[in-house]
Amino acid sequence: MLLLVEDDPELSEEIIDCFGRAGLVCAAVPTAAAALQALKHEPEIVLVLLDLQLPDGNGLDLIERARAGLPATRPLHFIVMSGSAERADAIRAL
């Protein structure tokens, strides 16, 4: 299952539609707090497509918080996306 963390409703809908047409089960949330709750309650989520700039925090901080709060044995992967051209954010994401 894919979790999209994106606060732009139109972009979120387009991305979810695209992945849905490819046959993937997807869910979308607009904030880091909602993402953490989804990750805690949906063990089937294995991939998170994550925006860097969220209304309640930085997406990279969400990765750290999610990894700290979930079992180390749980397979969980992140793909970070951003409209920002900040080189430091790109380096940190890697």
Side-chain angles (χ1 to χ4, degrees):
M1 178 177 197
L2 178 138
L3 177 66
L4 172 64
V5 187
E6 171 58 60
D7 61 323
D8 180 324
E10 291 176 7
L11 180 58
S12 181
E13 185 177 325
E14 287 180 31
I15 293 170
I16 290 295
D17 285 347
C18 180
F19 281 107
R21 284 192 305 272
L24 294 171
V25 176
C26 307
V29 294
T31 65
L36 286 172
Q37 287 301 311
L39 289 168
K40 287 180 185 176
H41 298 291
E42 291 290 339
E44 296 170 3
I45 297 170
V46 295
L47 178 62
V48 180
L49 184 56
L50 174 64
D51 188 6
L52 278 181
Q53 303 299 321
L54 297 167
D56 61 345
N58 183 294
L60 297 178
D61 295 333
L62 171 62
I63 294 172
E64 293 173 13
R65 292 174 57 197
R67 293 210 186 271
L70 297 171
T73 57
R74 179 173 173 186
L76 186 60
H77 305 281
F78 293 87
I79 297 174
V80 178
M81 59 183 187
S82 178
S84 169
E86 293 295 321
R87 184 180 182 139
D89 284 339
I91 291 170
R92 186 174 169 215
L94 291 173

